[in-house]
Amino acid sequence: MDLLLLEKALLGLFSAIVVSILISKLRGRKFKLPPGPVPVPIFGNWLQVGDDLNHRNLTDMAKKFGDIFLLRMGQRNLTVVSSPELAKDVLHTQGVEFGSRTRNVVFDIFTGKGQDMVFTVYGEHWRKMRRIMTVPFFTNKVVQQYRAGWEDEIDRVVQDVRKNPEAATTGIVIRKRLQLMMYNNMYRIMFDSRFESEDDPLFLQLKALNGERSKLAQSFDYNYGDFIPILRPLLRGYLKMCQQVKEKRLHLFKKHFVDERKRIASTVKHADSTKLKCAMDHILEAQQKGEINEDNVLYIVENINVAAIETTLWSIEWGIAELVNHPHIQQKLREEIDSVLGPGVPITEPDTHKLPYLQAVIKETLRLRMAIPLLVPHMNLQNAKLGGYDIPAESKVLVNAWWLANNPAQWKNPEEFRPERFLEEEAKVEANGNDFRYLPFGVGRRSCPGIILAMPILGITLGRLVQSFELLPPPGQDKIDTSEKGGQFSLHILNHSTIVAKPRVF
Ligand code: HEM
């Protein structure tokens, strides 16, 4: 009897092994997966490669496995592409196939499972959201409507820094003041409103909640539970925190900004119907027409808070750091502005187009210090082909844009901060993706629509600072620290450095 049971068990085990070998053979024949480290059951490659999938670690892996490789992170497939040709395939040639986004467990919470625009899959909802957001945010008309506001904001920064005696002596963390400026630049567009000072209680609340959102979402700490579903219960506390931050933020957006704008708009309508609309007026019109719902409105505000403010601020901060650490480049830029505009004549948006060295400094900052070095993760909804390999449906696809722009096989001394490259050997390369080696804003369907605002804001801000001050490291230091801090797909400066800003006298 016992022998019979044993025989049956062995037979069962034998059949299970045969079936699983057959399945894996069939799979192997069906799928030619990209190269990569050999995965182990349940964990995949997670134990080998760890949590920190930043652009530098992924570059090292590309050197080992090639321009396309696959990582199995627990249950999730991650394909990384690292050549201009493959980037073109993902973003342009097969832009529809790879035009969706993955969300992990945390982004699911912050975006209401894709009720926003940035993290939604490629399809009807995305098209509608992108169309609704284009007129109020992403046209040259918006730039012309708001540029005076941005010029005013940097003017106020210059005045505040001049008034602060520490700025010219021991130095200040100028980023703090510039953060207020960036919020004001975007809140003027969104709500026709601004915050008076860094101590404004509403600004402090907003800044704190946005900061928590960024930290929670960009952290690697929750990867284990996202990759390996059986570990997900251990994330309960983390996800609860995310849920609370999300609810508080959306409530704040609604109560203090969206509802407030509705109230103002209803009174203005009667008093002065010719007054220019702000973005929220357009968005609320779309809601009234039934094109989107109230949640979508709040997620648009959420998207602008993360996609527009921090990215541009990080780029400004990197630009300042490079100018401080390269005084001759800073001086050359100052001389260009002085000679084209005249000393002390404040730079305006139309001036930025007349200043090629300023444009080159901005491009070089975005090349070496790319704020979104892996772009926002893409995804294929269906099985797809890439570089001769099969990419299983719903794979996360990362384009290592930082490596494309910093690969010595493609660029002359890429580790060097040298704006001249964009006036010399790379003079034809623009930030809008006309060259697949240089994609700071991506390219194609899911590329950054905010480039139209970001470039002039960077130009006005960096130009005005260099015009008004000599930017130096603090006393006793000859350089400021430019260590990097990467996140799920972000890259910013690790330490917000103290900078001396010596006012220029005209
Ligand atoms: C220096 C500043 C900025 C940089 C470096 C930057 C970079 C990027 C990158 C790399 C992407 C993803 C592209 C892709 O996945 O293929 C992106 C997407 C996006 N950006 Fe920006 N961005 C900046 C500023 C802005 C601003 C100012 C706004 C809005 C006013 C904005 C709004 C967006 C939106 C809405 C998306 C998602 C587009 C979509 O999924 O269809 N960005 N950005």
Side-chain angles (χ1 to χ4, degrees):
M1 188 69 176
D2 276 351
L3 261 180
L4 202 67
L5 247 181
L6 185 69
E7 203 180 296
K8 273 190 178 169
L10 283 174
L11 199 68
L13 193 67
F14 178 73
S15 336
I17 292 171
V18 170
V19 168
S20 69
I21 289 174
L22 271 177
I23 288 175
S24 81
K25 285 254 176 205
L26 278 174
R27 264 212 193 127
R29 202 175 301 158
K30 206 167 130 219
F31 277 120
K32 186 184 164 205
L33 296 175
V38 179
V40 299
I42 300 178
F43 298 104
N45 303 120
W46 180 57
L47 299 172
Q48 294 140 286
V49 301
D51 278 335
D52 191 352
L53 299 168
N54 74 47
H55 57 293
R56 289 186 195 273
N57 292 340
L58 293 179
T59 298
D60 290 343
M61 285 185 232
K63 287 179 188 164
K64 200 158 155 198
F65 298 111
D67 288 341
I68 175 165
F69 64 91
L70 179 96
L71 298 176
R72 278 281 303 167
M73 303 306 285
Q75 292 290 295
R76 300 203 187 256
N77 287 314
L78 169 61
T79 302
V80 183
V81 305
S82 312
S83 76
E85 295 73 25
L86 287 166
K88 183 174 179 185
D89 210 353
V90 170
L91 303 172
H92 175 75
T93 319
Q94 299 199 68
V96 172
E97 288 83 346
F98 291 103
S100 286
R101 300 275 192 217
T102 41
R103 295 184 304 269
N104 57 38
V105 282
V106 167
F107 281 83
D108 262 350
I109 293 175
F110 286 121
T111 66
K113 296 209 163 137
Q115 292 184 65
D116 66 331
M117 190 266 247
V118 180
F119 291 97
T120 196
V121 293
Y122 183 77
E124 219 28 70
H125 174 70
W126 169 79
R127 241 188 306 278
K128 189 170 60 183
M129 292 287 269
R130 190 136 170 162
R131 173 175 54 74
I132 289 168
M133 287 173 77
T134 296
V135 169
F137 288 108
F138 306 128
T139 66
N140 193 43
K141 203 169 154 200
V142 177
V143 175
Q144 295 317 315
Q145 187 179 336
Y146 288 99
R147 72 166 180 88
W150 305 335
E151 290 154 14
D152 172 52
E153 290 299 334
I154 183 64
D155 194 52
R156 291 172 191 249
V157 174
V158 169
Q159 286 175 31
D160 285 354
V161 174
R162 276 181 191 275
K163 272 191 276 180
N164 185 343
E166 278 180 5
T169 53
T170 48
I172 54 167
V173 181
I174 197 166
R175 177 204 202 257
K176 274 188 75 198
R177 182 60 187 83
L178 290 167
Q179 187 176 31
L180 173 67
M181 178 202 80
M182 261 323 290
Y183 270 87
N184 283 343
N185 283 351
M186 294 316 301
Y187 272 68
R188 279 183 177 221
I189 301 179
M190 262 196 292
F191 298 108
D192 193 21
S193 72
R194 63 183 301 283
F195 305 97
E196 203 48 55
S197 84
E198 284 174 60
D199 308 320
D200 183 320
L202 189 55
F203 173 64
L204 288 172
Q205 223 181 323
L206 182 64
K207 197 174 75 162
L209 281 172
N210 277 343
E212 276 179 64
R213 144 68 168 95
S214 279
K215 222 163 79 191
L216 287 166
Q218 290 295 337
S219 163
F220 297 113
D221 291 351
Y222 62 84
N223 278 0
Y224 70 94
D226 182 57
F227 296 157
I228 301 152
I230 50 163
L231 300 181
R232 205 155 292 166
L234 300 175
L235 274 189
R236 208 172 291 143
Y238 196 92
L239 299 183
K240 196 170 157 205
M241 212 149 59
C242 294
Q243 190 65 33
Q244 283 166 351
V245 169
K246 171 238 175 104
E247 276 160 23
K248 276 196 218 161
R249 269 175 92 229
L250 294 193
H251 177 72
L252 185 88
F253 294 152
K254 177 169 160 47
K255 183 165 168 225
H256 292 279
F257 298 100
V258 176
D259 286 353
E260 181 61 11
R261 184 65 207 167
K262 276 187 198 161
R263 196 187 59 73
I264 294 172
S266 68
T267 52
V268 168
K269 222 175 254 166
H270 302 298
D272 180 7
S273 58
T274 59
K275 200 162 186 308
L276 277 174
K277 288 183 196 170
C278 66
M280 191 43 60
D281 300 341
H282 290 270
I283 307 288
L284 289 171
E285 258 175 34
Q287 188 195 343
Q288 268 160 17
K289 282 193 222 152
E291 293 183 285
I292 49 174
N293 62 31
E294 184 170 21
D295 284 344
N296 300 139
V297 172
L298 295 177
Y299 284 114
I300 289 177
V301 179
E302 122 74 28
N303 276 179
I304 296 292
N305 272 271
V306 272
I309 297 176
E310 289 298 319
T311 44
T312 314
L313 185 63
W314 295 334
S315 305
I316 293 172
E317 201 176 6
W318 279 123
I320 294 172
E322 293 297 353
L323 290 169
V324 168
N325 286 350
H326 297 88
H328 60 287
I329 294 175
Q330 189 184 143
Q331 185 53 24
K332 191 168 164 184
L333 175 58
R334 189 171 291 121
E335 280 163 15
E336 178 186 71
I337 303 175
D338 280 358
S339 76
V340 175
L341 306 185
V345 178
I347 183 172
T348 62
E349 186 275 330
D351 297 330
T352 61
H353 306 285
K354 297 184 258 171
L355 298 162
Y357 197 65
L358 174 64
Q359 293 297 339
V361 166
I362 295 168
K363 285 189 202 169
E364 183 67 342
T365 303
L366 296 172
R367 184 192 67 80
L368 190 62
R369 309 298 194 172
M370 216 172 263
I372 319 281
L374 304 168
L375 308 185
V376 178
H378 284 242
M379 193 246 288
N380 51 316
L381 280 172
Q382 313 293 337
N383 290 338
K385 289 253 178 216
L386 190 61
Y389 295 102
D390 290 299
I391 310 297
E394 300 195 3
S395 295
K396 176 167 169 176
V397 179
L398 294 180
V399 174
N400 193 344
W402 178 83
W403 179 234
L404 303 183
N406 285 272
N407 181 348
Q410 306 268 1
W411 299 77
K412 202 165 120 189
N413 300 332
E415 65 295 339
E416 205 184 316
F417 184 79
R418 185 172 58 90
E420 285 74 8
R421 75 177 77 242
F422 285 104
L423 304 172
E424 295 166 10
E425 75 271 20
E426 308 293 358
K428 292 204 177 78
V429 178
E430 299 295 342
N432 63 8
N434 72 339
D435 186 317
F436 283 89
R437 292 172 307 145
Y438 183 63
L439 304 172
F441 296 95
V443 68
R445 289 168 179 75
R446 298 309 290 257
S447 68
C448 177
I451 182 175
I452 196 161
L453 312 180
M455 291 301 277
I457 291 175
L458 285 168
I460 297 167
T461 307
L462 290 175
R464 194 67 208 282
L465 289 176
V466 167
Q467 258 188 320
S468 312
F469 304 103
E470 205 182 327
L471 303 167
L472 304 159
Q477 264 176 252
D478 62 341
K479 289 228 185 289
I480 58 169
D481 179 14
T482 52
S483 307
E484 297 174 342
K485 169 110 174 88
Q488 295 278 346
F489 51 83
S490 64
L491 175 66
H492 52 90
I493 205 162
L494 176 65
N495 296 310
H496 304 310
S497 289
T498 298
I499 307 262
V500 171
K502 272 202 180 137
R504 292 180 72 208
V505 186
F506 297 102

